[in-house]
Amino acid sequence: MARARSSTQQVISERSRRAFVGRDAERALFRNNLEHPPQDERHTFLFHVHGNAGVGKTCLVREWERIARECGALTVYVDEAVGSVPEAIAAISDRCAREGHRLKDLDRLLAAHRERRHEAETAVAAALGPQAGRTADTQGPDAAAQPSQLTLAATRAGLVGLGLLPGVGAFAGAVDPVQLAQSADRLRTSMGGRPRNQEDLRLVLAPEQVLTPVLLDELAGTAARVPWIVLFFDTYERTAPFLDGWLHDMLGTDRHGGALPDNVVVVTAGQRPLDTARWSGLADSVRDVPLGPFTETEARLLLAGRDVVAEPVVREVLRLTGRLPVLVSTLAANRPAAPDEVGDPSVTAVDRFLKWERDPVRRAVVLACALPRRLDADVFRAASGCADTEADALFAWLRELPFVGDGGNGVRYHDVVRAPMLRLERRRSPRGWTERHTRLAGTFGRWRGELEAGPDAGPPWADEEWRELRLAESYHLLCARPRAALPEVLADTVRACDQGEAVAARWARALADAGEDADAVDVARWGRDLTEALAGPGEPEGTGEAAAGGEERPDAGVVAALGLLLNRAGLGPAEQALARTARGAALRRAGAHARALAEYDRAVALDPGLARAHRGRALSRGELGDYEGAVADLDRALALAPDDGRAYAMRGEYRRILHAYDAAVRDLDRGIALDPARAFAWASRGATRLGMGELDEALADLDRALELSPEYGWALARRARVWRARGEHDRQLADLDRAVRLQPDWAWGACERGDALRVAGRHEEALADYDRALALDDAYASAYASRGACLSALGRHAEALADLDRALELRPGYAWALERREAVRDRLADDAR
């Protein structure tokens, strides 16, 4: 008979093993732990598995239990069926007995505990009379499931009346004075006038203090007869309030006169992580095991095991379940053959997430607050519709839910939890869905308007807070009415691209989220395509001296995203002009100046009054060496926007390059007056005054530029030229050393330092800088000429001649290179003679 029973168990175990899919790393982790003896530093004494409802915590715990039993372990499984430490101890004792390891002394003490407690409760219940029943009736339908709570409180109150507890404490008001006296008298009578001994009292009032030492002794005896004892505590989010401290004491202290045997492994599994404040002292012995949804491979394996292999069906299951194991398993069990046979598991999922919450108000709040992507106290009030008197308490409660976590500015639901809640709400009441999202969009729009009207309001798209409010407003508009809101949001996406990749990516993400959450195919496609475009490759390149004032870094993804918007969005002329301008700026920053110029030309043709397009075109012309054209474009830009300090500074710089120093100084004076914090304008005026021979004024301007921007390499290099003109070569080299250190890939800076070193007679060091400059820019005529002069000084005249020839190929009228080449030819002729 025993053999048949063992064979059946083996068959069941083998079926369970085959049915379990995925979690290979977690299974290997647990199995390997049982291969390390307790003395091994790699051995873990407590595993804590945690994750949202439905990720398969119980399945993993049961799989670990199977593995433990394969390794010969005695296993004990405890879940939320226990409601106290004594009940957990009883569950451990019962399982040990069923496995042939009866804990006799513990069983006798447990029986005594139940008897003493029953005596005390009976006595107090009798003293309370019908009042106890009436109170229980008002507790609701769950009161019958927990009949001892009121009587236990009254029992303790009765013991206060006996003088055996110091003060009523937390039980003040539990019963009135008459009931207290009656319960005390009845308790005296039931226990023979006075308690038999102190142990009886402790069995009623603090049973874990009496039972735990005996449990430890009994487990020590059992542990000597088995290789391992593994205690599994599942649904720990329910039992941790009373078990967590008790387990910690047994594992990490001798508070109960001993500790668990060293071949005992404890496994806890719940929705929340362990309390780090309590368990941090045992970090070396505790292993955190977070669980998330299945990987796509794991989900596909589970589906294949249920013969669900048709790709359209698999994709639909993955989409609807978020790869949450319990939902994948639920849908797979129905073996759908076509996508339209795949049911929506949202109701099942939401029921699991809110399994322990029975209050209909709280359940409604959870579902309502799933609509915003992020929550703070203000958004919570707007989404939940709670009265102000209740909002703070409910928000505090919501924040403690296991699937609500920190989301940066506020909190957010875990995606796996939020998605089915949104589907449930959308399908349950389509009109309610639209109304609530419209209301939330209006709330964010109102807050945005208040910010715009504030005393410190500036350009809205440059304000991060404004952008976040606009983004939230856009998301809810797309969820409420996708088709109507899409054109406006796409126009905003153009402006977001103009702010750089990071901002553009947030708009693309909002489009993708709204498309998925509202089941809006076109919106989702836009979000997906823009996200892919923004993720494209591309590295920034240097933009040259004229752009040293610095606009934001280039991004090939922005170029691609704007191209997508221009090709498909059907933007109006103004939005198209803005998109062309933004795309031109990104191309220019990436070094594609000819392409950038073409984009600016198109933008100006679409909207001749767009000052930014003229200013951007000026920068592209400047990078291509057309400084007169750049000045003309800036003339037009300033006619349209006469208070643009940056445009004045740019025009002043181009006039400096053209040696129109007086006009340059006038422009730079005006630019500094309009925007005194712009380091570029100060540096450019310093360089202009250097060209005019005004060394003290130039030095003052460059010092001011470096006060505003201490790591401004171009200003350091220009100040180095002032030091050179003043004959202060140590300071010159110090500034150039710092400039090159700040910008190691800057060819102009390397060449400048090479020139300083060459003049100082340090030719070998200078040669290294010239080599570096030409490695960075192989069309740098000045670097070739300077390296030629350096090589000649080192007596390497043939190499010098080759460099000077190359310099003159690049710049045929380069007078200094011509003079040097003639000198080198003369030297070569002398050597030949």
Side-chain angles (χ1 to χ4, degrees):
M1 189 71 178
R3 181 178 300 172
R5 185 164 55 249
S6 176
S7 176
T8 301
Q9 291 172 351
Q10 289 174 356
V11 170
I12 292 173
S13 177
E14 178 62 21
R15 287 179 179 176
S16 298
R17 185 190 65 77
R18 290 198 306 267
F20 192 88
V21 172
R23 308 301 189 196
D24 292 339
E26 289 81 2
R27 286 192 285 179
L29 174 70
F30 185 75
R31 186 183 295 277
N32 291 341
N33 192 64
L34 298 181
E35 295 175 358
H36 301 315
Q39 296 76 23
D40 192 317
E41 291 185 356
R42 293 171 294 177
H43 182 75
T44 295
F45 290 95
L46 178 117
F47 291 92
H48 181 63
V49 180
H50 62 92
N52 286 312
V55 295
K57 299 182 296 294
T58 296
C59 287
L60 180 62
V61 164
R62 288 300 195 183
E63 175 66 5
W64 279 5
E65 185 181 23
R66 186 192 64 77
I67 291 171
R69 293 175 70 82
E70 281 185 357
C71 296
L74 168 63
T75 65
V76 174
Y77 177 86
V78 177
D79 60 14
E80 77 275 10
V82 303
S84 65
V85 171
E87 290 181 16
I89 292 173
I92 293 171
S93 181
D94 180 64
R95 179 58 181 264
C96 288
R98 286 190 282 119
E99 295 297 321
H101 300 277
R102 187 179 174 193
L103 311 182
K104 295 179 182 179
D105 291 342
L106 181 61
D107 285 345
R108 282 194 292 269
L109 199 57
L110 283 165
H113 159 68
R114 286 189 285 267
E115 184 179 347
R116 297 289 87 78
R117 177 168 171 170
H118 178 71
E119 289 174 359
E121 290 178 352
T122 301
V124 174
L128 292 175
Q131 177 66 26
R134 286 197 299 274
T135 305
D137 289 342
T138 66
Q139 300 292 311
D142 291 339
Q146 298 178 345
S148 64
Q149 297 306 308
L150 176 65
T151 53
L152 179 57
T155 299
R156 296 194 178 191
L159 291 169
V160 172
L162 285 170
L164 300 173
L165 281 180
V168 177
F171 301 102
V175 291
D176 63 32
V178 174
Q179 291 172 328
L180 177 60
Q182 290 173 340
S183 63
D185 289 342
R186 186 61 61 94
L187 196 54
R188 280 194 193 92
T189 302
S190 70
M191 302 185 77
R194 59 178 298 163
R196 296 182 180 91
N197 53 51
Q198 191 67 19
E199 196 80 343
D200 284 349
L201 284 177
R202 294 177 67 216
L203 274 172
V204 173
L205 298 175
E208 62 275 9
Q209 295 178 10
V210 181
L211 296 169
T212 304
V214 179
L215 170 67
L216 293 173
D217 287 343
E218 296 269 38
L219 286 179
T222 303
R225 301 191 296 273
V226 295
W228 297 101
I229 298 175
V230 186
L231 306 178
F232 294 93
F233 296 92
D234 200 2
T235 330
Y236 203 57
E237 70 272 12
R238 305 293 292 176
T239 58
F242 54 85
L243 288 184
D244 201 50
W246 176 69
L247 283 174
H248 178 269
D249 288 346
M250 289 197 296
L251 280 163
T253 75
D254 58 359
R255 188 167 298 167
H256 295 291
L260 286 169
D262 64 3
N263 63 336
V264 172
V265 175
V266 177
V267 177
T268 55
Q271 294 187 21
R272 300 179 178 87
L274 281 179
D275 180 355
T276 52
R278 171 173 285 158
W279 290 95
S280 58
L282 297 177
D284 292 342
S285 301
V286 175
R287 184 66 176 263
D288 192 62
V289 185
L291 280 192
F294 271 158
T295 65
E296 183 171 333
T297 299
E298 289 172 330
R300 286 177 176 275
L301 281 173
L302 190 150
L303 291 169
R306 304 289 178 86
D307 297 325
V308 180
V309 293
E311 186 58 25
V313 177
V314 170
R315 284 200 303 270
E316 184 68 1
V317 170
L318 296 178
R319 184 184 73 84
L320 289 174
T321 62
R323 303 193 308 275
L324 201 63
V326 67
L327 300 184
V328 176
S329 181
T330 298
L331 294 188
N334 297 326
R335 291 180 169 79
D340 57 4
E341 294 180 15
V342 180
D344 189 342
S346 300
V347 174
T348 300
V350 172
D351 283 345
R352 288 190 69 87
F353 300 143
L354 301 178
K355 179 179 179 181
W356 309 113
E357 185 52 63
R358 294 289 177 257
D359 184 340
V361 172
R362 286 185 169 184
R363 289 176 70 94
V365 164
V366 171
L367 293 172
C369 289
L371 269 64
R373 295 198 299 167
R374 282 180 177 78
L375 289 164
D376 58 22
D378 296 325
V379 178
F380 173 84
R381 286 182 173 87
S384 66
C386 295
D388 287 344
T389 54
E390 302 173 345
D392 289 343
L394 278 171
F395 185 49
W397 164 80
L398 182 77
R399 295 186 65 160
E400 295 302 315
L401 293 175
F403 52 79
V404 178
D406 183 22
N409 297 326
V411 297
R412 58 173 297 164
Y413 288 22
H414 192 289
D415 290 341
V416 167
V417 176
R418 182 171 177 261
M421 288 184 177
L422 293 177
R423 284 200 304 273
L424 178 65
E425 291 299 281
R426 190 182 73 243
R427 295 186 176 189
R428 184 174 64 181
S429 175
R431 289 187 177 181
W433 167 272
T434 298
E435 289 169 1
R436 282 185 289 165
H437 276 292
T438 301
R439 187 166 61 250
L440 283 168
T443 299
F444 284 109
R446 185 175 71 254
W447 292 342
R448 176 176 57 82
E450 291 169 359
L451 198 63
E452 291 171 359
D456 300 326
W461 279 93
D463 185 328
E464 183 177 0
E465 183 181 358
W466 184 94
R467 291 198 305 262
E468 288 303 306
L469 291 171
R470 180 60 171 166
L471 186 62
E473 178 187 8
S474 299
Y475 167 79
H476 290 294
L477 287 171
L478 288 167
C479 286
R481 294 181 174 83
R483 185 176 300 177
L486 184 57
E488 180 181 359
V489 177
L490 289 175
D492 272 359
T493 306
V494 171
R495 298 175 177 87
C497 287
D498 197 31
Q499 299 300 311
E501 179 186 1
V503 177
R506 294 182 66 77
W507 249 259
R509 181 72 262 166
L511 281 158
D513 287 350
E516 178 69 22
D517 297 342
D519 196 22
V521 176
D522 287 345
V523 175
R525 181 170 62 91
W526 267 112
R528 183 179 62 251
D529 292 349
L530 285 167
T531 299
E532 290 175 359
L534 287 163
E539 291 294 331
E541 301 176 11
T543 55
E545 182 177 331
E551 293 188 4
E552 63 187 70
R553 290 166 64 84
D555 177 18
V558 169
V559 174
L562 287 164
L564 190 67
L565 287 160
L566 285 162
N567 289 334
R568 287 194 348 209
L571 302 171
E575 285 77 17
Q576 287 186 53
L578 181 60
R580 295 289 180 190
T581 301
R583 195 160 188 255
L587 287 164
R588 175 180 54 77
R589 293 189 299 266
H593 303 299
R595 290 178 61 199
L597 189 60
E599 291 291 351
Y600 287 127
D601 286 342
R602 293 174 185 172
V604 169
L606 285 162
D607 186 356
L610 185 58
R612 280 194 54 215
H614 292 280
R615 189 178 66 224
R617 187 165 68 174
L619 278 169
S620 289
R621 290 192 194 280
E623 293 291 350
L624 293 168
D626 180 9
Y627 302 116
E628 291 86 354
V631 169
D633 274 331
L634 288 167
D635 289 344
R636 179 60 180 156
L638 284 165
L640 293 166
D643 293 330
D644 186 348
R646 179 168 55 172
Y648 276 108
M650 289 163 51
R651 190 170 70 177
E653 171 64 9
Y654 291 133
R655 283 176 165 167
R656 179 193 70 80
I657 295 171
L658 291 167
H659 299 105
Y661 293 135
D662 291 336
V665 168
R666 287 195 299 272
D667 275 345
L668 292 162
D669 286 346
R670 178 62 175 156
I672 288 170
L674 289 167
D675 188 358
R678 185 174 295 280
F680 169 66
W682 290 94
S684 181
R685 192 172 73 176
T688 304
R689 284 177 163 167
L690 173 62
M692 299 169 73
E694 300 173 356
L695 300 186
D696 291 341
E697 292 83 352
L699 186 60
D701 278 348
L702 290 161
D703 284 345
R704 179 58 180 153
L706 288 163
E707 286 175 14
L708 292 167
S709 180
E711 297 187 352
Y712 193 170
W714 191 80
L716 282 165
R718 287 293 171 180
R719 190 170 71 176
R721 288 192 171 188
V722 176
W723 297 130
R724 182 181 70 185
R726 291 165 63 114
E728 299 187 49
H729 298 296
D730 289 343
R731 287 185 168 183
Q732 176 193 5
L733 275 172
D735 272 353
L736 289 170
D737 285 344
R738 188 174 168 212
V740 171
R741 188 165 57 251
L742 289 168
Q743 295 178 244
D745 295 334
W746 186 23
W748 188 71
C751 188
E752 283 284 300
R753 188 172 68 172
D755 286 343
L757 291 167
R758 177 176 53 80
V759 171
R762 295 159 62 177
H763 295 101
E764 293 290 351
E765 295 173 73
L767 192 60
D769 273 339
Y770 295 137
D771 289 344
R772 177 64 178 159
L774 289 167
L776 293 166
D777 182 359
D778 62 1
Y780 194 169
S782 294
Y784 279 111
S786 292
R787 189 171 72 174
C790 189
L791 288 166
S792 178
L794 290 168
R796 297 159 62 177
H797 304 303
E799 296 172 71
L801 186 59
D803 272 351
L804 290 161
D805 285 343
R806 178 61 178 149
L808 287 162
E809 285 176 17
L810 293 165
R811 285 175 58 186
Y814 193 170
W816 188 82
L818 281 168
E819 292 173 4
R820 292 293 168 179
R821 186 170 69 174
E822 287 306 311
V824 171
R825 283 176 173 172
D826 289 344
R827 186 70 58 85
L828 284 169
D830 289 342
D831 290 347
R833 284 194 294 270

